[in-house]
Amino acid sequence: MTARDKHGRTHKALAINEVSLLREARQAAKIRVRVDGIVRLEELMGDGVLIATPVGSTAYNLSAHGPIIPLAAGVLALTPISGFRPRRWRGALLPHGAKVAFESLEADKRPVSATADYTEIRDVLTVEVCENRNIAFTLLFDPEHNLEERVFKEQFLT
């Protein structure tokens, strides 16, 4: 995530699960959404929006009524958080190579923060998110419990 705040500072952060934009005050956030340079939502109004990886799809994304994504699916979830307008927009699935840009509209009246997993930047004006497949990390795992199978099984729990 690369975020620019109202003071002109640029912040970078890494997220394994999701990047979320959230309203900071009582006013609903107004956010413009671009995917690969094309405006897809001129104005999303609500508590915010998030973009989740398959790993993060069973966390905040799921609680915001986003889809659970199998780990090998090659997509990201773009999910509104308590979306108000457009009324019936429930989110989108994007190819993992998509470049997503968010713009906070009316930022003085409706301040927005951006969070990449545990790193929060307040008073953001713009946020750009893209998947970086050049970063590797080791995840602790239990060989008795396959993570991919656990995520897949989440789709069938009632």
Side-chain angles (χ1 to χ4, degrees):
M1 168 184 88
T2 302
R4 187 175 53 85
D5 68 23
K6 71 178 184 179
H7 305 291
R9 293 183 298 236
T10 300
H11 308 265
K12 291 185 179 270
L14 178 66
I16 306 300
N17 295 310
E18 78 274 324
V19 170
S20 57
L21 277 73
L22 297 165
R23 68 185 176 103
E24 292 181 16
R26 65 190 178 283
Q27 294 281 335
K30 282 188 178 181
I31 300 166
R32 179 171 295 129
V33 179
R34 285 184 175 83
V35 179
D36 294 329
I38 299 169
V39 174
R40 297 296 180 177
L41 286 173
E42 188 64 43
E43 182 181 284
L44 171 64
M45 194 169 175
D47 285 352
V49 63
L50 65 86
I51 184 159
T53 66
V55 171
S57 70
T58 60
Y60 193 8
N61 178 66
L62 182 60
S63 70
H65 304 287
I68 294 172
I69 304 170
L71 296 182
V75 296
L76 303 169
L78 180 63
T79 304
I81 303 168
S82 299
F84 180 66
R85 283 195 189 107
R87 284 265 190 230
R88 289 171 182 73
W89 187 68
R90 306 303 290 162
L93 292 174
L94 307 175
H96 68 84
K99 293 181 180 5
V100 181
F102 302 105
E103 180 184 349
S104 176
L105 306 175
E106 299 179 27
D108 289 334
K109 180 180 176 184
R110 302 167 184 275
V112 172
S113 68
T115 304
D117 285 353
Y118 56 86
T119 304
E120 181 183 21
I121 295 30
R122 311 254 318 155
D123 300 316
V124 297
L125 299 178
T126 62
V127 177
E128 295 176 354
V129 180
C130 65
E131 184 176 312
N132 184 342
R133 292 193 164 231
N134 296 323
I135 298 172
F137 64 93
T138 302
L139 192 66
L140 293 176
F141 74 99
D142 181 348
E144 303 282 324
H145 297 89
N146 181 310
L147 180 59
E148 193 163 344
E149 178 64 18
R150 282 185 57 197
V151 170
F152 191 75
K153 282 171 54 175
E154 280 284 329
Q155 297 178 87
F156 299 97
L157 296 178
T158 57

